[in-house]
Amino acid sequence: MTSVISVNLPQQSYEIAIAPGSLEQLGDRMSSLQLGKKVLLVSNPTIFKHYGEKAIASLQGAGFEVSICILPPGERYKNLNSIQKIYDAALENRLERSATIVALGGGVIGDMAGFAAATWLRGIHVVQVPTTLLAMVDSAIGGKTGVNHPQGKNLIGAFHQPRLVLIDPTVLKTLPVREFRAGMAEVIKYGVIWDAELFAQMEASKHLNQLRYIKPELIESILIKSCQAKADVVSKDEKEAGLRAILNYGHTIGHAVESLTGYRVVNHGEAVGIGMVAAGQIALELGMWQKEETERQNALIQKAGLPTQLPSGLDIEAIIDALQLDKKVKAGKVRFVLPTQIGVVTVTDEVPADIIRQVLQKM
């Protein structure tokens, strides 16, 4: 499997390269982009232990001068303190505007490394080397970078497109099962919002909850179709003026659940799974899609081993209040991405609070 997907943008287009063993080609692929020789590799201890040496060897082999910044793992460290550590490493190693930050890790590392690159010297290069399924199919693509505020997810950030996204599917072998399932939430999202064929392919698979039980052809299709969906949407709407908002399907309630549980109870994919169940039910209550489609979506979420119920003890009114902090709020109205059929969604701010409350109470 080798596939190259273009993200076509007015200012800076780039490629998503998907190929087994491509981590060893990182240096050569970056050399072809005519970047400066200084590289700051940002990772976490677990990922660095698995893949740090391989990435460094590839970069040094291509003539890059590599320095390292290791950040603690987990969503709760996705904050300005961690960004400060990246800035300190950038300063210590004299990163100039021609330098590149390489993000080797999952969504948390990618978002933070991207934000640091967007803001160091008002913007330097970033290359995304995602090591989780979630980052491969979603967060590494599209240039959304940022960190969390104590009261809300991703409230601090910038759009900063990578120069390259390099996906090596072989690294998924070391991904914990729970993290693999988290990535499947984003894949299911693409099936619901954009690609009914991908949705049907996943329905036809006996298992979705562990990499080892899924046929290699389906993994290949998942990666290519998800990345293509993200590239298509971002190419049409880079900075979320309209269409790109559909990528937030399941995220409105999902983000509220994440932040209210302190990023310790559910991970991002699990929260998105819960959010998709809620959004699907809201759409059903509003007569926007059929009961059969709701059940098909929820069955797929369960097949991927993802939760479909709210964490116990979560206050419904607190969730409704937290929705007001969502980035999509416009003129005080919460905008929801809601499905009308498998493969098609719409964005609306006409969702009564009573309907949201009623749906959440049943979860």
Side-chain angles (χ1 to χ4, degrees):
M1 170 180 63
T2 300
S3 185
V4 176
I5 295 165
S6 295
V7 182
N8 299 309
L9 299 170
Q11 300 260 296
Q12 184 177 286
S13 297
Y14 57 94
E15 291 182 339
I16 305 163
I18 308 170
S22 57
L23 186 56
E24 292 171 7
Q25 304 160 15
L26 174 62
D28 290 340
R29 286 181 181 269
M30 283 177 57
S31 289
S32 68
L33 298 173
Q34 297 179 314
L35 307 170
K37 287 299 175 189
K38 287 198 172 184
V39 167
L40 176 62
L41 182 76
V42 179
S43 193
N44 72 34
T46 308
I47 298 301
F48 190 79
K49 182 181 172 185
H50 285 305
Y51 304 111
E53 282 185 18
K54 193 177 282 188
I56 290 168
S58 179
L59 289 164
Q60 289 177 337
F64 290 101
E65 299 168 28
V66 186
S67 49
I68 303 157
C69 177
I70 304 296
L71 300 173
E75 187 80 32
R76 65 183 181 274
Y77 295 105
K78 188 177 161 184
N79 54 36
L80 291 171
N81 289 338
S82 293
I83 297 296
Q84 182 68 50
K85 289 176 183 173
I86 302 176
Y87 292 154
D88 290 347
L91 185 63
E92 185 182 336
N93 293 284
R94 302 287 186 267
L95 258 61
E96 301 166 357
R97 278 194 173 157
S98 62
T100 305
I101 291 179
V102 172
L104 179 68
V108 171
I109 288 294
D111 280 7
M112 290 197 292
F115 182 60
T119 48
W120 182 252
L121 303 180
R122 296 191 178 91
I124 64 172
H125 307 299
V126 65
V127 167
Q128 294 281 356
V129 186
T131 59
T132 66
L133 180 61
L134 193 149
M136 288 177 184
V137 300
D138 191 68
S139 61
I141 306 161
K144 272 191 177 181
T145 73
V147 294
N148 301 328
H149 184 277
Q151 288 187 287
K153 189 174 165 75
N154 293 336
L155 292 178
I156 305 159
F159 286 98
H160 190 60
Q161 299 293 345
R163 295 299 307 275
L164 168 71
V165 179
L166 186 67
I167 296 174
D168 184 344
T170 62
V171 306
L172 291 174
K173 289 175 184 171
T174 56
L175 187 65
V177 169
R178 188 180 179 193
E179 291 301 322
F180 179 79
R181 292 171 181 170
M184 285 305 303
E186 297 287 357
V187 178
I188 293 168
K189 175 193 80 175
Y190 289 122
V192 177
I193 70 169
W194 197 255
D195 193 332
E197 186 185 326
L198 173 61
F199 191 96
Q201 281 182 305
M202 289 189 286
E203 278 187 312
S205 176
K206 191 174 180 182
H207 299 283
L208 284 180
N209 63 343
Q210 288 191 50
L211 177 67
R212 61 183 175 152
Y213 296 139
I214 302 175
K215 291 179 180 175
E217 311 89 79
L218 180 56
I219 291 296
E220 181 178 348
S221 187
I222 279 170
L223 290 173
I224 293 170
K225 283 178 170 288
S226 298
C227 289
Q228 189 66 63
K230 182 81 181 257
D232 288 346
V233 173
V234 170
S235 295
K236 289 181 171 74
D237 178 19
E238 182 183 357
K239 297 192 175 176
E240 209 169 293
L243 176 69
R244 187 167 176 171
I246 70 170
L247 295 171
N248 291 304
Y249 179 59
H251 288 57
T252 305
I253 285 170
H255 281 169
V257 170
E258 275 187 279
S259 58
L260 287 171
T261 54
Y263 306 107
R264 291 168 187 266
V265 177
V266 293
N267 62 31
H268 178 65
E270 290 163 349
V272 169
I274 292 165
M276 287 192 291
V277 171
Q281 193 61 37
I282 289 169
L284 182 62
E285 296 289 339
L286 293 174
M288 295 174 69
W289 75 338
Q290 304 301 311
K291 189 169 190 287
E292 180 205 349
E293 291 170 310
T294 315
E295 289 169 352
R296 285 176 66 196
Q297 173 195 258
N298 294 356
L300 212 53
I301 292 167
Q302 286 176 318
K303 193 195 285 188
L306 292 160
T308 56
Q309 301 287 317
L310 289 170
S312 60
L314 208 53
D315 182 56
I316 304 298
E317 295 307 315
I319 297 175
I320 291 169
D321 288 345
L323 295 179
Q324 288 297 325
L325 293 171
D326 188 83
K327 297 184 298 302
K328 296 181 297 302
V329 169
K330 200 170 184 180
K333 285 188 167 186
V334 181
R335 288 192 296 160
F336 275 90
V337 183
L338 298 177
T340 56
Q341 63 187 71
I342 301 295
V344 183
V345 290
T346 188
V347 181
T348 178
D349 59 8
E350 298 298 322
V351 181
D354 286 349
I355 295 285
I356 302 170
R357 189 176 285 111
Q358 180 184 318
V359 166
L360 293 175
Q361 282 167 349
K362 289 177 182 173
M363 293 177 65

